[in-house]
Amino acid sequence: MSNKTYNDLLCDTSELIVEATQADEAVFEAGSAERSTFQPLLSELRIRYTVLLSRLDTVYDQLLQPQKRLIVKRLLEACLGRLLEIKHDLVELHLSDFTYDDDESLKKLAVTPHEAEPCIPQYFVREREEEIEKRKTFITDTLIKLGHESPKQKPLVLTEQQAVIIIQSHERARQGRLRGQFMKEIRLLKEKGRDQKGEMTASAATAIQRVWRGFIARRDTRKRKKEEQLLIGMVLPPYSESKAVTRSEEIKQIRRNLQKERDSEFQKALVEIEEKLRAQHEVKINERIGDELRRWISEYYERTGKLPEFPSEEAGGSRAMYSRQGTGVDSNLSKSSPVSSKDSKKSKESKDKKNNKSEDNKNKHEVDDVKNFNCRSSCFLQDMVNANEEYEDIWKFRDDEIQHEKYDKDMIEREKMLKIEQEIRNIVDELMRSELELLQAAFDRDRAHKGKKSKKPQKKVRRGGKKSKKKKEKDLTPDRTTESLFEELVTNGIIRPYPFVKIDDFIGEKSYVGSEMRNQGQEPSPCLGDIRQLIKEYCILPLGSETVRASAPLVRSVLITGPSGSGKKMLVQAICSETGAMLFDLSPANIVGKYPGKSGLIMLIHLVMKVSRLLQPSVIWMDDAEKPFVKKVPKTDKTDPKRLKKDLVKIIKGILPEDRVLFIGTSKTPWDAEQKLLFQCYSKVIQIPRADYGSISLMWRTKLHRAGALSPRLELSCLSRVCDSYTIGTLLSALHSVLTTKRRLQLRVRALTAQEIAVQLSLLEPVYAEQESAAESWWLKTPMERKRQRHLQRLMELEQENEERAAAGK
């Protein structure tokens, strides 16, 4: 694609941003209203921002002009942050972590459910490729030194004579096999010739022709039928990478390389142009600002008879002084002045009235809190509006095409001139402050106040407010480098390598009837696709951007629960892979015997928190998250799981909004823990449900298609029904057991059948009904679910009260 393609896409996206922000501002203007009125508005906004996120990600990934890309990145991060804010508003609206797409909104915006799922911006990892690769190499090299990981085998190096001998031996063996096959065919022909008597009759030739023509006709019919099914999408084509897709990826990679060249040229130009401007204008600007300030001070002295007070740099410096020409003349009333008696009487009367009215309005406010809803203020909406207006003013209607999408020199000069002038003004301000002090001292001497010292600026006394009780954490390793701490944690197995996993590899369908069920007053069951979307919204999207993490609603910790094989560990690896995060393993089984004693535990927590902040984004993972909070530890468990019990809350609360650190716990049996302590640690709980028919069918279709084992003879519907009580991980292990190398080679001759997989599944453990019932009863005790149940109960009570009042009125 050309530069014009992405510039046009950006122009269209800018118009969509205007529509989305206008609709967004209308939601805030509505203020507090009934919950039912906000549901379609927020659902539509969520889909709008999801589409904008996908478009802006595509543009930012391929646009070449470096200054324009800065604005696009601002738009992209603002859109991402606003999307997360809307997500949390929807969670508060429905009192459920799952948000289901509204059918009317999808139809109105002409968006499919797949497009309504947020994408992961590519710059999360692409702009940190070198850093991520260095860390992976460092971990691998450290593990190889320790002997934990076998080094890769070096390729076999042969001399020319050895290679010729090997080729000759293989070639002679091949010729021998061909000669043996040829002699076998000759022998069979001789044996057949002995039994034949006479020539072939006409009836025999006709029979052979009939069979052959029938075979040809049936083959052509099957071929035409398959082509028709491929055309209308009833059958998947053979799994192979399309040449067009491959070529498109190559072109995108070429543009990414050009991006790096343009960006390096832009960074180089920033330095060169600034040096050139400083050499040309620094002295002139210095003299001009100094002359202006001296002239203004003299005019002020002539007008007021005293020297002005020079504002500090934080207050705006000399720029603020120009606007304060009456400084020191007019006096304002002190904030601590006593209140008049009339005002005090009025305040007492108003307090009494408020106390009388508070009891009367208590029920009314409670009803409003239950039935009404108000969206929280946005930290990203105004930034998006400003960035879009800046784009429209500078770039959208620009007629001149920048040659090869290079940097704009005039824009750099304007920005650098403003920066240079501000820096010089700060320097001149400091000089003028010292000159004013000398002038004030001379002025005092002339007034015969030699004994009195000039007034020193009083220190600002902090009034009111409580002192922050939070003490600064003591650094236990002040003299050690980040690399040495990193190596120590890798050596002890706290920092672990992980395979690259995409979040989209977590295959599953979304719940398409969720919105309709909520409209009918029922709470739908989530599907695996909804879990994938929730992991993106709570874990990946906030963790990938520093700007978004600092201002978006904060999620410090997430608990992922589900039976064995449901994909908990895969989701943790996907979060790390999509954000390029470091993985810290604090599982009880992993830290047993490491950093012993109380002092060792303090050092372990200090190292993990310090290094996770230095190497952010970071994920601190704890497998078997219920074990630190179990009531009674089994005697067979030698891992001392309660070692981190008292410090877990401290670790999680120590994660600040500016820290791109996420604590994730995974658990198979969370109901074994003390629930109060468990929910104190984890602010969000995600339970992976049992795989539904749609997700299982999609998984089989995808995996078998990639393996080349998908055939019309394989009954996917029956196979999906049989697999109802198994997790996705169990099904994949069964598939790997069936599709051995030998079986893959036989697929062209003998197609795979559902019976082969079903036989293998019979040897594996399903998820039993007792475990499912335990998970369901535990889910009803989670904080969000209990909050939702209380809300529903209060709504029912209010409806009953209204009915009783209506009956009494009649």
Side-chain angles (χ1 to χ4, degrees):
M1 292 186 182
S2 64
N3 297 331
K4 187 176 183 304
T5 304
Y6 295 105
N7 285 323
D8 292 345
L9 180 60
L10 184 55
C11 287
D12 296 339
T13 306
S14 176
E15 295 175 1
L16 293 177
I17 289 173
V18 173
E19 295 178 7
T21 51
Q22 287 176 354
D24 207 347
E25 289 170 354
V27 171
F28 287 108
E29 289 174 1
S32 179
E34 289 189 4
R35 290 175 176 264
S36 57
T37 59
F38 277 105
Q39 198 279 328
L41 297 176
L42 290 176
S43 180
E44 182 181 333
L45 278 176
R46 196 197 71 81
I47 297 170
R48 282 182 182 274
Y49 283 114
T50 303
V51 174
L52 287 175
L53 178 66
S54 177
R55 282 170 161 261
L56 289 170
D57 178 45
T58 304
V59 172
Y60 184 70
D61 183 57
Q62 294 296 304
L63 202 64
L64 297 182
Q65 216 286 333
Q67 292 152 303
K68 198 186 295 185
R69 289 185 78 238
L70 294 176
I71 297 180
V72 175
K73 187 172 183 180
R74 280 179 57 195
L75 287 169
L76 179 58
E77 290 184 335
C79 178
L80 179 55
R82 185 65 190 125
L83 179 64
L84 294 177
E85 288 177 340
I86 293 171
K87 164 67 183 179
H88 285 266
D89 283 337
L90 284 167
V91 170
E92 292 297 323
L93 179 66
H94 296 295
L95 297 177
S96 173
D97 290 318
F98 298 97
T99 53
Y100 303 101
D101 299 323
D102 186 22
D103 297 338
E104 294 297 326
S105 301
L106 292 173
K107 186 178 179 181
K108 177 182 177 181
L109 300 173
V111 175
T112 63
H114 179 71
E115 294 171 342
E117 184 175 338
C119 68
I120 308 298
Q122 300 175 59
Y123 80 91
F124 282 2
V125 175
R126 195 168 67 81
E127 292 186 351
R128 300 175 52 244
E129 284 178 347
E130 295 181 2
E131 178 189 349
I132 294 169
E133 192 60 35
K134 284 181 182 178
R135 291 180 181 179
K136 285 183 178 179
T137 306
F138 183 81
I139 293 172
T140 306
D141 294 342
T142 306
L143 292 175
I144 290 172
K145 288 178 186 177
L146 297 170
H148 295 307
E149 188 171 319
S150 58
K152 295 181 181 178
Q153 293 183 354
K154 296 181 179 179
L156 183 63
V157 180
L158 301 174
T159 63
E160 184 179 353
Q161 185 177 1
Q162 290 173 336
V164 169
I165 291 172
I166 291 174
I167 293 171
Q168 284 179 347
S169 61
H170 281 281
E171 179 62 23
R172 286 168 183 159
R174 187 186 68 82
Q175 291 180 2
R177 287 191 295 271
L178 287 176
R179 181 174 177 79
Q181 184 66 23
F182 181 64
M183 296 302 295
K184 182 179 179 181
E185 291 175 358
I186 291 175
R187 187 170 62 254
L188 290 174
L189 288 173
K190 286 181 179 180
E191 291 176 356
K192 287 182 180 179
R194 294 171 188 169
D195 299 333
Q196 290 179 358
K197 296 179 180 179
E199 297 180 357
M200 185 181 296
T201 59
S203 59
T206 304
I208 293 172
Q209 288 175 354
R210 183 174 64 251
V211 172
W212 176 250
R213 286 171 181 169
F215 170 75
I216 293 293
R218 287 191 296 274
R219 187 179 65 181
D220 292 342
T221 304
R222 284 196 300 269
K223 186 178 179 180
R224 287 197 301 272
K225 183 179 178 181
K226 188 174 182 180
E227 289 175 353
E228 183 181 353
Q229 289 176 337
L230 283 171
L231 181 65
I232 62 179
M234 288 185 66
V235 177
L236 292 173
Y239 182 76
S240 61
E241 292 187 2
S242 172
K243 292 182 179 180
V245 174
T246 307
R247 178 59 182 162
S248 175
E249 287 298 322
E250 291 175 357
I251 294 172
K252 286 182 179 180
Q253 191 58 43
I254 291 170
R255 292 185 66 87
R256 289 178 188 134
N257 295 333
L258 277 174
Q259 265 182 14
K260 293 179 181 178
E261 293 179 11
R262 299 286 185 271
D263 190 59
S264 61
E265 292 173 0
F266 175 61
Q267 297 299 330
K268 187 178 179 182
L270 288 175
V271 177
E272 292 177 352
I273 291 173
E274 184 175 355
E275 291 176 353
K276 183 179 177 182
L277 291 174
R278 283 185 185 277
Q280 291 178 352
H281 304 285
E282 190 169 13
V283 178
K284 296 178 183 178
I285 294 173
N286 197 335
E287 293 176 354
R288 177 175 58 81
I289 295 174
D291 294 341
E292 287 178 357
L293 284 174
R294 289 185 180 92
R295 185 169 58 252
W296 186 88
I297 290 170
S298 63
E299 291 175 357
Y300 183 89
Y301 180 74
E302 291 173 0
R303 187 172 65 252
T304 61
K306 59 181 180 179
L307 295 175
E309 293 181 3
F310 209 99
S312 63
E313 187 177 342
E314 293 79 11
S318 57
R319 290 186 183 275
M321 191 172 66
Y322 287 143
S323 61
R324 292 166 55 188
Q325 296 184 6
T327 303
V329 178
D330 299 328
S331 62
N332 296 325
L333 287 173
S334 173
K335 291 182 180 179
S336 60
S337 59
V339 184
S340 63
S341 59
K342 293 182 180 179
D343 294 336
S344 62
K345 287 181 181 179
K346 288 181 181 178
S347 63
K348 287 180 180 179
E349 290 176 1
S350 61
K351 284 181 181 179
D352 293 336
K353 289 180 181 179
K354 285 180 181 178
N355 291 330
N356 293 331
K357 289 182 179 179
S358 60
E359 295 179 359
D360 298 334
N361 295 334
K362 187 176 180 181
N363 295 330
K364 185 179 178 181
H365 289 309
E366 188 178 357
V367 172
D368 291 341
D369 291 339
V370 173
K371 291 188 175 181
N372 294 353
F373 182 77
N374 193 8
C375 293
R376 69 181 77 188
S377 59
S378 174
C379 301
F380 298 95
L381 182 58
Q382 191 57 45
D383 189 24
M384 183 183 295
V385 173
N386 295 339
N388 193 43
E389 288 176 354
E390 184 178 344
Y391 165 73
E392 289 180 344
D393 294 340
I394 300 173
W395 300 104
K396 187 173 182 180
F397 304 105
R398 194 163 179 170
D399 295 331
D400 55 326
E401 183 69 24
I402 298 176
Q403 187 180 8
H404 302 302
E405 291 282 313
K406 292 188 176 181
Y407 62 86
D408 187 354
K409 185 178 178 181
D410 296 337
M411 287 181 63
I412 297 176
E413 289 180 349
R414 286 194 296 270
E415 292 173 1
K416 290 299 179 183
M417 281 299 295
L418 293 173
K419 178 186 174 184
I420 292 168
E421 185 177 350
Q422 184 60 41
E423 290 178 358
I424 295 172
R425 184 175 292 277
N426 293 337
I427 295 170
V428 175
D429 287 354
E430 284 296 323
L431 293 173
M432 294 308 299
R433 286 189 189 96
S434 60
E435 287 184 13
L436 279 173
E437 288 178 3
L438 295 174
L439 286 171
Q440 185 66 45
F443 182 79
D444 291 342
R445 284 196 299 272
D446 293 342
R447 293 276 185 173
H449 291 294
K450 295 181 180 180
K452 295 183 180 180
K453 296 181 180 180
S454 60
K455 292 183 179 180
K456 294 182 179 179
Q458 295 180 355
K459 294 182 180 179
K460 292 183 179 179
V461 180
R462 185 178 177 183
R463 297 179 181 177
K466 295 181 181 179
K467 293 183 179 180
S468 58
K469 295 182 180 178
K470 189 176 180 182
K471 295 181 180 179
K472 190 176 180 181
E473 293 182 4
K474 185 179 179 182
D475 191 357
L476 302 178
T477 54
D479 302 328
R480 296 185 59 182
T481 61
T482 305
E483 189 172 324
S484 66
L485 298 175
F486 185 22
E487 186 175 2
E488 180 181 338
L489 290 177
V490 173
T491 304
N492 288 312
I494 305 299
I495 293 180
R496 297 182 56 181
Y498 53 86
F500 183 80
V501 179
K502 288 188 175 181
I503 187 64
D504 292 331
D505 292 338
F506 187 81
I507 302 171
E509 287 281 12
K510 298 174 70 176
S511 177
Y512 300 114
V513 296
S515 178
E516 186 63 29
M517 289 182 67
R518 273 187 175 162
N519 293 336
Q520 296 175 2
Q522 302 175 8
E523 183 62 21
S525 299
C527 299
L528 295 182
D530 301 309
I531 299 295
R532 180 181 62 242
Q533 179 173 330
L534 200 59
I535 291 292
K536 288 181 180 181
E537 293 167 337
Y538 279 165
C539 304
I540 299 176
L541 295 179
L543 204 61
S545 172
E546 187 175 355
T547 306
V548 174
R549 174 71 173 183
S551 303
L554 182 60
V555 177
R556 290 188 175 93
S557 55
V558 177
L559 176 64
I560 304 175
T561 67
S564 299
S566 56
K568 302 183 294 297
K569 191 179 294 185
M570 178 187 177
L571 288 174
V572 174
Q573 293 169 354
I575 293 167
C576 296
S577 301
E578 295 286 3
T579 57
M582 297 300 301
L583 180 61
F584 296 78
D585 188 0
L586 286 184
S587 303
N590 187 49
I591 63 173
V592 61
K594 299 172 184 176
Y595 297 95
K598 187 176 180 181
S599 59
L601 183 61
I602 294 171
M603 178 59 71
L604 171 64
I605 295 171
H606 167 73
L607 288 176
V608 170
M609 296 307 296
K610 182 177 180 179
V611 178
S612 63
R613 289 190 180 103
L614 292 171
L615 302 179
Q616 53 185 305
S618 303
V619 171
I620 303 173
W621 172 49
M622 176 177 281
D623 196 13
D624 296 328
E626 79 283 353
K627 285 189 175 181
F629 308 109
V630 291
K631 296 177 181 177
K632 188 176 181 181
V633 181
K635 294 181 179 179
T636 55
D637 193 351
K638 305 297 182 182
T639 60
D640 190 14
K642 291 193 175 185
R643 189 181 177 196
L644 284 172
K645 178 180 179 180
K646 296 180 180 178
D647 299 300
L648 275 180
V649 177
K650 178 184 174 183
I651 292 172
I652 293 169
K653 287 186 177 180
I655 299 173
L656 303 176
E658 58 269 18
D659 298 331
R660 286 194 292 162
V661 181
L662 183 67
F663 194 96
I664 300 178
T666 55
S667 174
K668 293 181 286 187
T669 55
W671 47 86
D672 291 341
E674 294 182 33
Q675 301 305 303
K676 184 179 178 181
L677 297 175
L678 185 69
F679 295 136
Q680 279 180 356
C681 286
Y682 299 99
S683 56
K684 295 294 180 183
V685 180
I686 301 175
Q687 186 179 36
I688 301 176
R690 184 176 68 175
D692 56 295
Y693 171 79
S695 299
I696 294 174
S697 180
L698 178 63
M699 187 277 296
W700 282 128
R701 193 181 302 110
T702 305
K703 294 296 182 181
L704 292 174
H705 182 227
R706 291 179 181 176
L710 192 62
S711 66
R713 298 181 183 179
L714 183 62
E715 297 176 354
L716 278 181
S717 179
C718 295
L719 181 61
S720 301
R721 289 293 181 191
V722 169
C723 303
D724 185 41
S725 58
Y726 291 91
T727 61
I728 296 292
T730 307
L731 299 178
L732 289 175
S733 64
L735 179 62
H736 293 322
S737 300
V738 172
L739 281 182
T740 58
T741 305
K742 182 178 179 181
R743 187 67 185 90
R744 287 172 185 268
L745 295 173
Q746 296 173 349
L747 288 175
R748 294 181 62 184
V749 181
R750 182 164 60 91
L752 186 71
T753 60
Q755 184 179 2
E756 296 179 63
I757 300 175
V759 170
Q760 189 65 32
L761 275 177
S762 63
L763 305 175
L764 302 175
E765 291 288 331
V767 180
Y768 294 105
E770 294 82 5
Q771 189 173 358
E772 285 187 3
S773 61
E776 289 176 4
S777 60
W778 173 80
W779 177 253
L780 296 176
K781 299 176 184 177
T782 56
M784 183 65 74
E785 189 65 19
R786 291 173 67 182
K787 187 177 179 181
R788 191 179 69 84
Q789 294 295 339
R790 287 196 299 268
H791 176 77
L792 293 175
Q793 185 178 358
R794 184 56 187 151
L795 281 177
M796 291 176 64
E797 290 175 358
L798 290 174
E799 288 178 2
Q800 290 178 358
E801 289 177 4
N802 292 333
E803 289 177 0
E804 290 174 358
R805 288 175 184 172
K810 290 181 180 179

